[in-house]
Amino acid sequence: MAEGDYIIGGIFPLHYNQEMPDLNCTYRPPPVKCNGFDPRAFRWAQTMRLAVEEINHNMELLPNYTLGYKIFDSCAYPLTGQRAALAVLNGLSEDHSAMCSGASPLLAVIGESGSAQSIVVSRILQPFRIPMISYFSSCACLTDRIKYPTFFRVIPNDDYQVKAIAQLLVRFNWTWVGLVRGDHEYGRFAVQGLLRELQGTKVCVAYQEMIPLLYNRQRALEIMQVMRSSTAKVVVVFSAEGEMTPFLGDYMTQNITGIQWVASEAWVTASVFTGSEYYPYLGGTIGFGIRKGPISRLSDYLQTVNPQMYPNNPLVQELWEALYGCSPSSSSGSQLPPCSGQEYLLDQHSAYMNTSSPRVAYNVYKAVYAIAHSLHNLLLCQPDQGPFLNNSCAQSNNIQPWQLQHYLQEVTFNIAGEVVNFDLKGDSIPYYDIINWQRGTGSNIEFVNVGLFDGTKPVGEELVIQEERIMWAGHQSEVPVSVCSVSCLPGSRKAVRRGEPVCCFDCVPCDSGKISNQTNSIECTFCPEDFWSNKDRTACISKKIEFLAYDSLGIALTVISIVGACLTIAAITVFFHHRNTAIVRVNNSELSFFILFALTLCFLCSLVFIGEPTAWSCMLRHTAFSITFSLCISCILGKTLVVWAAFTATRPGDNIMKWLGHKQQRAIIFSCTLVQVIICAAWLIDAPPYPSRNTQYERSKIILECSVGSSLAFWCVLGYIGLQACLCFILAFLARKLPGNFNEAKFITFSMLIFCAVWLAFIPAYISSPGNYADAVESFAILASSFGLLFCLFAPKCYIILLKPEKNTKQHLMGKEKR
Ligand code: TRP
């Protein structure tokens, strides 16, 4: 402590641990025993002293006044913080001064470090309206002006930090993260805030664990078991060195690997963990560190501390013990070996001397200056222009703390190029450095600045990261992956698992006809009409158009029909050539030629079924086929009639034959065919067949086919042919016993049998085959029945004409030749 005109208090966690006091209230509690000296906090306290001394020597700031200070230890524990706060108010130490000896001359307090302690301290200072400025308490809870009216801080509110962490997680696609926190307000509110920030993002929390306030190895091991078994490789920790030191100690014995730590500002710059033994476990840690700033004289100032200079200061002794593991004075009764006196505070990396980038110390420095500047402003007050009641000013010899608070709220000043001020809630400007733990020279850990978060920038531009400079956990340059389920590739979609967070999902492939072209699609989308999904379901491709084309099937049909037509023409030629021979003449040569001609057309009309259906080919298909077939069968019918008539005419008294002259025959053929023509004409006029796209039968294809237009007409046409064929068959059957060696009726019967068989088989085949195959079936039926007719009717005759000319006599044919 130091005297001065105005006294400010300082509360620092000079020890990071304490023995739980025995508070059973039956006797006066003993002084708290703190242990675990924290050189870092000692440095902060020294910074406060330095700042006060600087201000006292500064001729511009508070020229005629001096500042004094009182510094107390909170042992990083709220209850002790409370004792420290009371001590700050009352006197040197609880032991040495009578309690409540009088009003404290204290104007403001600098403190505390941890939020939990700050809350307690703030509550104690409130009745006295003494403002406090915290240098490290970032809990969002402290923003509440009603609960903490006198609280100021020079560290950003954690709301910004959690925002930054959330953005970091999103940025690196870490969608499955674990949260670990200490058991204090800071941890509670930070986790709450982070969960709030993560709502609506793609990040899910795998687990939330809490390190107990009183460190408990059993519990810690349970937490590590959770960490080990989870697939979340990224763990965000809101905690401070106090809990982290034992926790990490146990962590290192557990041999857990692959954890990428995201450190909160409270421990991301803690030099306790910079030892090389930590690197395999903590290397790659990333986090947001609070703003650093230069304190030019800090390093020199810290070095002035040594046991020779302050032989009676127990803190300096503890510092020596903590830094060098030796006891500087023999009287202290510690078990440590005595120091040589040769220890110098030159090691830049020691927890105390690490002044390369002061962050918290810089905050302390700013806090002291903020008080000095406010005090300065307060003293500059012109009488009758003051801010208080009746425009009065504060009296310089009797400044009330609440008057200073007013000026603190208003103050703005510059320090090392940075503007320091407080907003209405006592918060300061949100700015963070992104710190990455990398292996330094000598294999210890070095804090490398790899970016920044500036909360004053517009949304989306706050985070600036130099990704290429980051070294990740496990000494890797690739961003670690922390996801619950690996993303779904295009072609599949996410299916959320029941009862699990949205980040855990299965990938189900899209149904056919649906696609997804992005990774992690939520839904598969339907392909537009006439499009279908490809095999991978990643794109819509236009559907395959199918019709009976000139592929293998089409070519086979074409060849068969042309062969058939050629054979028929050959038969015509043979008949024509031998038109004067008996067999041709006996069998009604004119009708034979008609039949052959019709057969040629029949063969050819199967060609119309091949190729892309057009309006014309559709109309042509059925009509051409039905008319030619009708013609053909009409001819055969005519022939049968003649044969039948001849058969009946052999009985005396019958002269049917005279009714069946050539003219009559032609008339019969013509009229029979005409009926079919009329049906077809009616069909074409009323509901002609038209080309249509069949997408029903196979959804991945468009089948081009001819729709019959009117199925009634279609079946009428077929029925009519069938009727003719049956008639023909019956007549021929009746006439089959005609005497003679060459009985035409027998062949006609036979051919009609084949014909009927083919077309009866055709009907079910036609109905059940899809689009283009129906055409093929019909085409085949035409060819098969045509071949049937051709072979049955004409093959035997050609055989006789060409190979057995000796049988080609009238006698032989009539069966009248001599046996
Ligand atoms: N920002 C932290 C806080 O507000 C820093 C901190 C200091 C801390 N000491 C602590 C956190 C002890 C937890 C425990 O609390």
Side-chain angles (χ1 to χ4, degrees), residues 13 16 38-41 44 113 136 184 239-248 264-273 351 360:
Y16 55 77
D38 187 355
R40 189 184 183 203
W44 303 338
S113 159
F136 208 6
H184 35 62
S239 174
E241 296 137 280
E243 306 108 351
M244 279 314 267
T245 315
F247 184 78
L248 288 175
S264 69
E265 105 293 341
W267 65 285
V268 76
T269 51
S271 43
V272 208
F273 305 123
V360 184

PDB file of all heavy atoms in Angstrom, residues 13 16 38-41 44 113 136 184 239-248 264-273 351 360:
ATOM      1  N   PRO A  13      -5.980 -11.648  -7.524  1.00  0.00           N
ATOM      2  CA  PRO A  13      -5.887 -13.028  -7.032  1.00  0.00           C
ATOM      3  C   PRO A  13      -4.434 -13.467  -6.935  1.00  0.00           C
ATOM      4  O   PRO A  13      -3.959 -14.250  -7.769  1.00  0.00           O
ATOM      5  CB  PRO A  13      -6.652 -13.814  -8.098  1.00  0.00           C
ATOM      6  CG  PRO A  13      -6.476 -13.027  -9.339  1.00  0.00           C
ATOM      7  CD  PRO A  13      -6.298 -11.598  -8.952  1.00  0.00           C
ATOM      8  N   TYR A  16      -3.791 -18.619  -6.403  1.00  0.00           N
ATOM      9  CA  TYR A  16      -4.886 -19.175  -7.179  1.00  0.00           C
ATOM     10  C   TYR A  16      -5.634 -20.273  -6.437  1.00  0.00           C
ATOM     11  O   TYR A  16      -6.507 -20.927  -6.962  1.00  0.00           O
ATOM     12  CB  TYR A  16      -4.442 -19.651  -8.567  1.00  0.00           C
ATOM     13  CG  TYR A  16      -3.318 -20.634  -8.621  1.00  0.00           C
ATOM     14  CD1 TYR A  16      -3.545 -21.976  -8.328  1.00  0.00           C
ATOM     15  CD2 TYR A  16      -2.043 -20.230  -9.001  1.00  0.00           C
ATOM     16  CE1 TYR A  16      -2.512 -22.878  -8.395  1.00  0.00           C
ATOM     17  CE2 TYR A  16      -1.016 -21.126  -9.077  1.00  0.00           C
ATOM     18  CZ  TYR A  16      -1.252 -22.457  -8.766  1.00  0.00           C
ATOM     19  OH  TYR A  16      -0.237 -23.344  -8.824  1.00  0.00           O
ATOM     20  N   ASP A  38       0.484 -16.879  -7.517  1.00  0.00           N
ATOM     21  CA  ASP A  38       0.311 -16.680  -8.957  1.00  0.00           C
ATOM     22  C   ASP A  38       1.150 -15.497  -9.434  1.00  0.00           C
ATOM     23  O   ASP A  38       0.768 -14.342  -9.248  1.00  0.00           O
ATOM     24  CB  ASP A  38      -1.174 -16.446  -9.255  1.00  0.00           C
ATOM     25  CG  ASP A  38      -1.456 -16.396 -10.745  1.00  0.00           C
ATOM     26  OD1 ASP A  38      -0.480 -16.440 -11.528  1.00  0.00           O
ATOM     27  OD2 ASP A  38      -2.634 -16.314 -11.122  1.00  0.00           O
ATOM     28  N   PRO A  39       2.292 -15.751 -10.017  1.00  0.00           N
ATOM     29  CA  PRO A  39       3.168 -14.650 -10.439  1.00  0.00           C
ATOM     30  C   PRO A  39       2.495 -13.716 -11.432  1.00  0.00           C
ATOM     31  O   PRO A  39       2.793 -12.524 -11.491  1.00  0.00           O
ATOM     32  CB  PRO A  39       4.339 -15.362 -11.105  1.00  0.00           C
ATOM     33  CG  PRO A  39       4.279 -16.764 -10.632  1.00  0.00           C
ATOM     34  CD  PRO A  39       2.851 -17.056 -10.361  1.00  0.00           C
ATOM     35  N   ARG A  40       1.543 -14.273 -12.188  1.00  0.00           N
ATOM     36  CA  ARG A  40       0.872 -13.451 -13.194  1.00  0.00           C
ATOM     37  C   ARG A  40       0.074 -12.334 -12.513  1.00  0.00           C
ATOM     38  O   ARG A  40       0.160 -11.158 -12.892  1.00  0.00           O
ATOM     39  CB  ARG A  40      -0.054 -14.367 -13.987  1.00  0.00           C
ATOM     40  CG  ARG A  40      -0.683 -13.754 -15.195  1.00  0.00           C
ATOM     41  CD  ARG A  40      -1.635 -14.761 -15.788  1.00  0.00           C
ATOM     42  NE  ARG A  40      -2.246 -14.293 -17.011  1.00  0.00           N
ATOM     43  CZ  ARG A  40      -3.390 -14.764 -17.472  1.00  0.00           C
ATOM     44  NH1 ARG A  40      -4.034 -15.708 -16.807  1.00  0.00           N
ATOM     45  NH2 ARG A  40      -3.910 -14.324 -18.600  1.00  0.00           N
ATOM     46  N   ALA A  41      -0.681 -12.716 -11.478  1.00  0.00           N
ATOM     47  CA  ALA A  41      -1.467 -11.714 -10.761  1.00  0.00           C
ATOM     48  C   ALA A  41      -0.557 -10.733 -10.029  1.00  0.00           C
ATOM     49  O   ALA A  41      -0.872  -9.545  -9.897  1.00  0.00           O
ATOM     50  CB  ALA A  41      -2.408 -12.404  -9.781  1.00  0.00           C
ATOM     51  N   TRP A  44       0.219  -8.164 -12.350  1.00  0.00           N
ATOM     52  CA  TRP A  44      -0.865  -7.188 -12.509  1.00  0.00           C
ATOM     53  C   TRP A  44      -0.830  -6.171 -11.375  1.00  0.00           C
ATOM     54  O   TRP A  44      -0.999  -4.971 -11.607  1.00  0.00           O
ATOM     55  CB  TRP A  44      -2.225  -7.872 -12.518  1.00  0.00           C
ATOM     56  CG  TRP A  44      -2.389  -8.928 -13.562  1.00  0.00           C
ATOM     57  CD1 TRP A  44      -1.659  -9.038 -14.710  1.00  0.00           C
ATOM     58  CD2 TRP A  44      -3.319 -10.006 -13.553  1.00  0.00           C
ATOM     59  NE1 TRP A  44      -2.073 -10.115 -15.420  1.00  0.00           N
ATOM     60  CE2 TRP A  44      -3.097 -10.741 -14.732  1.00  0.00           C
ATOM     61  CE3 TRP A  44      -4.315 -10.419 -12.676  1.00  0.00           C
ATOM     62  CZ2 TRP A  44      -3.841 -11.877 -15.052  1.00  0.00           C
ATOM     63  CZ3 TRP A  44      -5.056 -11.535 -13.000  1.00  0.00           C
ATOM     64  CH2 TRP A  44      -4.830 -12.266 -14.177  1.00  0.00           C
ATOM     65  N   SER A 113     -10.531  -9.901 -10.602  1.00  0.00           N
ATOM     66  CA  SER A 113     -10.203 -10.665 -11.793  1.00  0.00           C
ATOM     67  C   SER A 113     -11.399 -11.503 -12.251  1.00  0.00           C
ATOM     68  O   SER A 113     -12.033 -11.213 -13.263  1.00  0.00           O
ATOM     69  CB  SER A 113      -8.988 -11.513 -11.462  1.00  0.00           C
ATOM     70  OG  SER A 113      -8.870 -12.574 -12.322  1.00  0.00           O
ATOM     71  N   PHE A 136     -10.623  -7.886 -15.617  1.00  0.00           N
ATOM     72  CA  PHE A 136     -10.662  -9.218 -16.219  1.00  0.00           C
ATOM     73  C   PHE A 136     -12.036  -9.874 -16.129  1.00  0.00           C
ATOM     74  O   PHE A 136     -12.235 -10.957 -16.647  1.00  0.00           O
ATOM     75  CB  PHE A 136      -9.614 -10.101 -15.528  1.00  0.00           C
ATOM     76  CG  PHE A 136      -9.063 -11.206 -16.393  1.00  0.00           C
ATOM     77  CD1 PHE A 136      -9.390 -11.302 -17.739  1.00  0.00           C
ATOM     78  CD2 PHE A 136      -8.202 -12.161 -15.865  1.00  0.00           C
ATOM     79  CE1 PHE A 136      -8.873 -12.317 -18.525  1.00  0.00           C
ATOM     80  CE2 PHE A 136      -7.679 -13.181 -16.645  1.00  0.00           C
ATOM     81  CZ  PHE A 136      -8.022 -13.257 -17.976  1.00  0.00           C
ATOM     82  N   HIS A 184     -18.576 -21.454 -12.113  1.00  0.00           N
ATOM     83  CA  HIS A 184     -18.650 -20.057 -11.677  1.00  0.00           C
ATOM     84  C   HIS A 184     -19.522 -19.283 -12.649  1.00  0.00           C
ATOM     85  O   HIS A 184     -19.872 -19.784 -13.719  1.00  0.00           O
ATOM     86  CB  HIS A 184     -17.255 -19.428 -11.568  1.00  0.00           C
ATOM     87  CG  HIS A 184     -16.300 -19.923 -12.605  1.00  0.00           C
ATOM     88  ND1 HIS A 184     -16.513 -19.725 -13.936  1.00  0.00           N
ATOM     89  CD2 HIS A 184     -15.153 -20.642 -12.504  1.00  0.00           C
ATOM     90  CE1 HIS A 184     -15.528 -20.265 -14.614  1.00  0.00           C
ATOM     91  NE2 HIS A 184     -14.693 -20.847 -13.779  1.00  0.00           N
ATOM     92  N   SER A 239     -13.046 -21.383 -18.754  1.00  0.00           N
ATOM     93  CA  SER A 239     -12.482 -21.674 -17.450  1.00  0.00           C
ATOM     94  C   SER A 239     -11.216 -20.850 -17.304  1.00  0.00           C
ATOM     95  O   SER A 239     -10.809 -20.166 -18.233  1.00  0.00           O
ATOM     96  CB  SER A 239     -12.194 -23.169 -17.386  1.00  0.00           C
ATOM     97  OG  SER A 239     -11.522 -23.458 -16.213  1.00  0.00           O
ATOM     98  N   ALA A 240     -10.613 -20.935 -16.136  1.00  0.00           N
ATOM     99  CA  ALA A 240      -9.379 -20.184 -15.949  1.00  0.00           C
ATOM    100  C   ALA A 240      -8.313 -21.117 -15.402  1.00  0.00           C
ATOM    101  O   ALA A 240      -8.588 -22.275 -15.093  1.00  0.00           O
ATOM    102  CB  ALA A 240      -9.616 -19.011 -15.011  1.00  0.00           C
ATOM    103  N   GLU A 241      -7.100 -20.591 -15.283  1.00  0.00           N
ATOM    104  CA  GLU A 241      -5.980 -21.423 -14.845  1.00  0.00           C
ATOM    105  C   GLU A 241      -6.287 -22.211 -13.586  1.00  0.00           C
ATOM    106  O   GLU A 241      -5.848 -23.333 -13.436  1.00  0.00           O
ATOM    107  CB  GLU A 241      -4.773 -20.553 -14.534  1.00  0.00           C
ATOM    108  CG  GLU A 241      -4.197 -19.806 -15.673  1.00  0.00           C
ATOM    109  CD  GLU A 241      -3.883 -18.406 -15.227  1.00  0.00           C
ATOM    110  OE1 GLU A 241      -4.840 -17.612 -15.190  1.00  0.00           O
ATOM    111  OE2 GLU A 241      -2.728 -18.113 -14.909  1.00  0.00           O
ATOM    112  N   GLY A 242      -7.034 -21.583 -12.680  1.00  0.00           N
ATOM    113  CA  GLY A 242      -7.330 -22.199 -11.392  1.00  0.00           C
ATOM    114  C   GLY A 242      -7.796 -23.633 -11.544  1.00  0.00           C
ATOM    115  O   GLY A 242      -7.219 -24.546 -10.970  1.00  0.00           O
ATOM    116  N   GLU A 243      -8.848 -23.836 -12.358  1.00  0.00           N
ATOM    117  CA  GLU A 243      -9.344 -25.197 -12.538  1.00  0.00           C
ATOM    118  C   GLU A 243      -8.569 -25.928 -13.607  1.00  0.00           C
ATOM    119  O   GLU A 243      -8.439 -27.149 -13.568  1.00  0.00           O
ATOM    120  CB  GLU A 243     -10.803 -25.207 -12.990  1.00  0.00           C
ATOM    121  CG  GLU A 243     -11.765 -24.455 -12.172  1.00  0.00           C
ATOM    122  CD  GLU A 243     -12.239 -23.186 -12.854  1.00  0.00           C
ATOM    123  OE1 GLU A 243     -11.697 -22.786 -13.922  1.00  0.00           O
ATOM    124  OE2 GLU A 243     -13.128 -22.580 -12.318  1.00  0.00           O
ATOM    125  N   MET A 244      -8.109 -25.170 -14.593  1.00  0.00           N
ATOM    126  CA  MET A 244      -7.494 -25.824 -15.741  1.00  0.00           C
ATOM    127  C   MET A 244      -6.190 -26.519 -15.368  1.00  0.00           C
ATOM    128  O   MET A 244      -5.847 -27.541 -15.958  1.00  0.00           O
ATOM    129  CB  MET A 244      -7.229 -24.789 -16.852  1.00  0.00           C
ATOM    130  CG  MET A 244      -8.438 -24.469 -17.697  1.00  0.00           C
ATOM    131  SD  MET A 244      -9.337 -25.919 -18.207  1.00  0.00           S
ATOM    132  CE  MET A 244      -8.579 -26.231 -19.791  1.00  0.00           C
ATOM    133  N   THR A 245      -5.463 -25.970 -14.407  1.00  0.00           N
ATOM    134  CA  THR A 245      -4.164 -26.574 -14.085  1.00  0.00           C
ATOM    135  C   THR A 245      -4.316 -28.021 -13.613  1.00  0.00           C
ATOM    136  O   THR A 245      -3.737 -28.914 -14.235  1.00  0.00           O
ATOM    137  CB  THR A 245      -3.431 -25.701 -13.066  1.00  0.00           C
ATOM    138  OG1 THR A 245      -3.553 -24.349 -13.474  1.00  0.00           O
ATOM    139  CG2 THR A 245      -1.986 -26.091 -12.938  1.00  0.00           C
ATOM    140  N   PRO A 246      -5.120 -28.299 -12.582  1.00  0.00           N
ATOM    141  CA  PRO A 246      -5.268 -29.711 -12.217  1.00  0.00           C
ATOM    142  C   PRO A 246      -5.970 -30.532 -13.288  1.00  0.00           C
ATOM    143  O   PRO A 246      -5.622 -31.686 -13.518  1.00  0.00           O
ATOM    144  CB  PRO A 246      -6.113 -29.665 -10.935  1.00  0.00           C
ATOM    145  CG  PRO A 246      -6.772 -28.348 -10.936  1.00  0.00           C
ATOM    146  CD  PRO A 246      -5.882 -27.412 -11.689  1.00  0.00           C
ATOM    147  N   PHE A 247      -6.926 -29.912 -13.961  1.00  0.00           N
ATOM    148  CA  PHE A 247      -7.685 -30.645 -14.977  1.00  0.00           C
ATOM    149  C   PHE A 247      -6.758 -31.101 -16.107  1.00  0.00           C
ATOM    150  O   PHE A 247      -6.770 -32.259 -16.513  1.00  0.00           O
ATOM    151  CB  PHE A 247      -8.796 -29.751 -15.524  1.00  0.00           C
ATOM    152  CG  PHE A 247      -9.700 -30.420 -16.517  1.00  0.00           C
ATOM    153  CD1 PHE A 247     -10.690 -31.286 -16.092  1.00  0.00           C
ATOM    154  CD2 PHE A 247      -9.557 -30.193 -17.875  1.00  0.00           C
ATOM    155  CE1 PHE A 247     -11.527 -31.921 -16.994  1.00  0.00           C
ATOM    156  CE2 PHE A 247     -10.386 -30.822 -18.792  1.00  0.00           C
ATOM    157  CZ  PHE A 247     -11.371 -31.678 -18.345  1.00  0.00           C
ATOM    158  N   LEU A 248      -5.927 -30.160 -16.569  1.00  0.00           N
ATOM    159  CA  LEU A 248      -5.027 -30.521 -17.669  1.00  0.00           C
ATOM    160  C   LEU A 248      -3.969 -31.515 -17.190  1.00  0.00           C
ATOM    161  O   LEU A 248      -3.513 -32.362 -17.950  1.00  0.00           O
ATOM    162  CB  LEU A 248      -4.371 -29.268 -18.261  1.00  0.00           C
ATOM    163  CG  LEU A 248      -5.340 -28.407 -19.074  1.00  0.00           C
ATOM    164  CD1 LEU A 248      -4.654 -27.135 -19.529  1.00  0.00           C
ATOM    165  CD2 LEU A 248      -5.865 -29.179 -20.273  1.00  0.00           C
ATOM    166  N   SER A 264     -11.168 -19.953 -23.937  1.00  0.00           N
ATOM    167  CA  SER A 264     -11.776 -18.649 -23.695  1.00  0.00           C
ATOM    168  C   SER A 264     -10.669 -17.675 -23.304  1.00  0.00           C
ATOM    169  O   SER A 264      -9.543 -18.072 -23.015  1.00  0.00           O
ATOM    170  CB  SER A 264     -12.801 -18.748 -22.574  1.00  0.00           C
ATOM    171  OG  SER A 264     -12.137 -18.986 -21.355  1.00  0.00           O
ATOM    172  N   GLU A 265     -11.018 -16.387 -23.310  1.00  0.00           N
ATOM    173  CA  GLU A 265     -10.008 -15.359 -23.060  1.00  0.00           C
ATOM    174  C   GLU A 265      -9.324 -15.538 -21.707  1.00  0.00           C
ATOM    175  O   GLU A 265      -8.189 -15.140 -21.522  1.00  0.00           O
ATOM    176  CB  GLU A 265     -10.647 -13.975 -23.210  1.00  0.00           C
ATOM    177  CG  GLU A 265     -10.952 -13.198 -21.950  1.00  0.00           C
ATOM    178  CD  GLU A 265     -12.037 -13.829 -21.092  1.00  0.00           C
ATOM    179  OE1 GLU A 265     -12.795 -14.645 -21.618  1.00  0.00           O
ATOM    180  OE2 GLU A 265     -12.106 -13.501 -19.891  1.00  0.00           O
ATOM    181  N   ALA A 266     -10.020 -16.239 -20.763  1.00  0.00           N
ATOM    182  CA  ALA A 266      -9.468 -16.345 -19.413  1.00  0.00           C
ATOM    183  C   ALA A 266      -8.202 -17.193 -19.365  1.00  0.00           C
ATOM    184  O   ALA A 266      -7.358 -16.996 -18.510  1.00  0.00           O
ATOM    185  CB  ALA A 266     -10.523 -16.922 -18.476  1.00  0.00           C
ATOM    186  N   TRP A 267      -8.077 -18.149 -20.269  1.00  0.00           N
ATOM    187  CA  TRP A 267      -6.855 -18.966 -20.206  1.00  0.00           C
ATOM    188  C   TRP A 267      -6.082 -19.028 -21.513  1.00  0.00           C
ATOM    189  O   TRP A 267      -5.043 -19.673 -21.599  1.00  0.00           O
ATOM    190  CB  TRP A 267      -7.149 -20.370 -19.686  1.00  0.00           C
ATOM    191  CG  TRP A 267      -8.022 -21.256 -20.540  1.00  0.00           C
ATOM    192  CD1 TRP A 267      -9.359 -21.161 -20.681  1.00  0.00           C
ATOM    193  CD2 TRP A 267      -7.607 -22.382 -21.330  1.00  0.00           C
ATOM    194  NE1 TRP A 267      -9.821 -22.150 -21.501  1.00  0.00           N
ATOM    195  CE2 TRP A 267      -8.773 -22.923 -21.913  1.00  0.00           C
ATOM    196  CE3 TRP A 267      -6.372 -23.000 -21.600  1.00  0.00           C
ATOM    197  CZ2 TRP A 267      -8.747 -24.034 -22.756  1.00  0.00           C
ATOM    198  CZ3 TRP A 267      -6.363 -24.115 -22.435  1.00  0.00           C
ATOM    199  CH2 TRP A 267      -7.540 -24.616 -23.013  1.00  0.00           C
ATOM    200  N   VAL A 268      -6.562 -18.329 -22.539  1.00  0.00           N
ATOM    201  CA  VAL A 268      -5.877 -18.455 -23.825  1.00  0.00           C
ATOM    202  C   VAL A 268      -4.491 -17.807 -23.786  1.00  0.00           C
ATOM    203  O   VAL A 268      -3.617 -18.131 -24.585  1.00  0.00           O
ATOM    204  CB  VAL A 268      -6.753 -17.906 -24.975  1.00  0.00           C
ATOM    205  CG1 VAL A 268      -6.772 -16.399 -25.020  1.00  0.00           C
ATOM    206  CG2 VAL A 268      -6.287 -18.460 -26.309  1.00  0.00           C
ATOM    207  N   THR A 269      -4.276 -16.906 -22.835  1.00  0.00           N
ATOM    208  CA  THR A 269      -2.947 -16.303 -22.751  1.00  0.00           C
ATOM    209  C   THR A 269      -2.281 -16.630 -21.425  1.00  0.00           C
ATOM    210  O   THR A 269      -1.405 -15.902 -20.961  1.00  0.00           O
ATOM    211  CB  THR A 269      -3.040 -14.770 -22.901  1.00  0.00           C
ATOM    212  OG1 THR A 269      -4.014 -14.286 -21.981  1.00  0.00           O
ATOM    213  CG2 THR A 269      -3.424 -14.374 -24.290  1.00  0.00           C
ATOM    214  N   ALA A 270      -2.696 -17.741 -20.815  1.00  0.00           N
ATOM    215  CA  ALA A 270      -2.120 -18.097 -19.518  1.00  0.00           C
ATOM    216  C   ALA A 270      -0.754 -18.740 -19.711  1.00  0.00           C
ATOM    217  O   ALA A 270      -0.647 -19.811 -20.293  1.00  0.00           O
ATOM    218  CB  ALA A 270      -3.053 -19.051 -18.791  1.00  0.00           C
ATOM    219  N   SER A 271       0.247 -18.073 -19.216  1.00  0.00           N
ATOM    220  CA  SER A 271       1.600 -18.583 -19.480  1.00  0.00           C
ATOM    221  C   SER A 271       1.933 -19.830 -18.665  1.00  0.00           C
ATOM    222  O   SER A 271       2.945 -20.462 -18.901  1.00  0.00           O
ATOM    223  CB  SER A 271       2.628 -17.484 -19.217  1.00  0.00           C
ATOM    224  OG  SER A 271       2.295 -16.808 -18.032  1.00  0.00           O
ATOM    225  N   VAL A 272       1.033 -20.209 -17.721  1.00  0.00           N
ATOM    226  CA  VAL A 272       1.278 -21.436 -16.965  1.00  0.00           C
ATOM    227  C   VAL A 272       1.387 -22.633 -17.896  1.00  0.00           C
ATOM    228  O   VAL A 272       2.069 -23.610 -17.597  1.00  0.00           O
ATOM    229  CB  VAL A 272       0.099 -21.718 -16.000  1.00  0.00           C
ATOM    230  CG1 VAL A 272       0.568 -22.491 -14.798  1.00  0.00           C
ATOM    231  CG2 VAL A 272      -0.609 -20.448 -15.619  1.00  0.00           C
ATOM    232  N   PHE A 273       0.689 -22.576 -19.023  1.00  0.00           N
ATOM    233  CA  PHE A 273       0.626 -23.747 -19.878  1.00  0.00           C
ATOM    234  C   PHE A 273       1.612 -23.703 -21.039  1.00  0.00           C
ATOM    235  O   PHE A 273       1.448 -24.419 -22.017  1.00  0.00           O
ATOM    236  CB  PHE A 273      -0.797 -23.910 -20.449  1.00  0.00           C
ATOM    237  CG  PHE A 273      -1.848 -23.960 -19.382  1.00  0.00           C
ATOM    238  CD1 PHE A 273      -2.902 -23.062 -19.385  1.00  0.00           C
ATOM    239  CD2 PHE A 273      -1.768 -24.908 -18.372  1.00  0.00           C
ATOM    240  CE1 PHE A 273      -3.862 -23.111 -18.389  1.00  0.00           C
ATOM    241  CE2 PHE A 273      -2.737 -24.959 -17.375  1.00  0.00           C
ATOM    242  CZ  PHE A 273      -3.779 -24.051 -17.381  1.00  0.00           C
ATOM    243  N   ALA A 351       6.540 -16.865 -15.780  1.00  0.00           N
ATOM    244  CA  ALA A 351       5.145 -16.435 -15.620  1.00  0.00           C
ATOM    245  C   ALA A 351       5.063 -14.991 -15.142  1.00  0.00           C
ATOM    246  O   ALA A 351       4.083 -14.297 -15.396  1.00  0.00           O
ATOM    247  CB  ALA A 351       4.443 -17.351 -14.628  1.00  0.00           C
ATOM    248  N   VAL A 360      -3.864  -8.504 -19.744  1.00  0.00           N
ATOM    249  CA  VAL A 360      -4.588  -8.176 -18.515  1.00  0.00           C
ATOM    250  C   VAL A 360      -3.876  -7.031 -17.801  1.00  0.00           C
ATOM    251  O   VAL A 360      -4.507  -6.086 -17.315  1.00  0.00           O
ATOM    252  CB  VAL A 360      -4.702  -9.403 -17.613  1.00  0.00           C
ATOM    253  CG1 VAL A 360      -5.548  -9.077 -16.395  1.00  0.00           C
ATOM    254  CG2 VAL A 360      -5.328 -10.568 -18.371  1.00  0.00           C
TER     255      VAL A 360
END
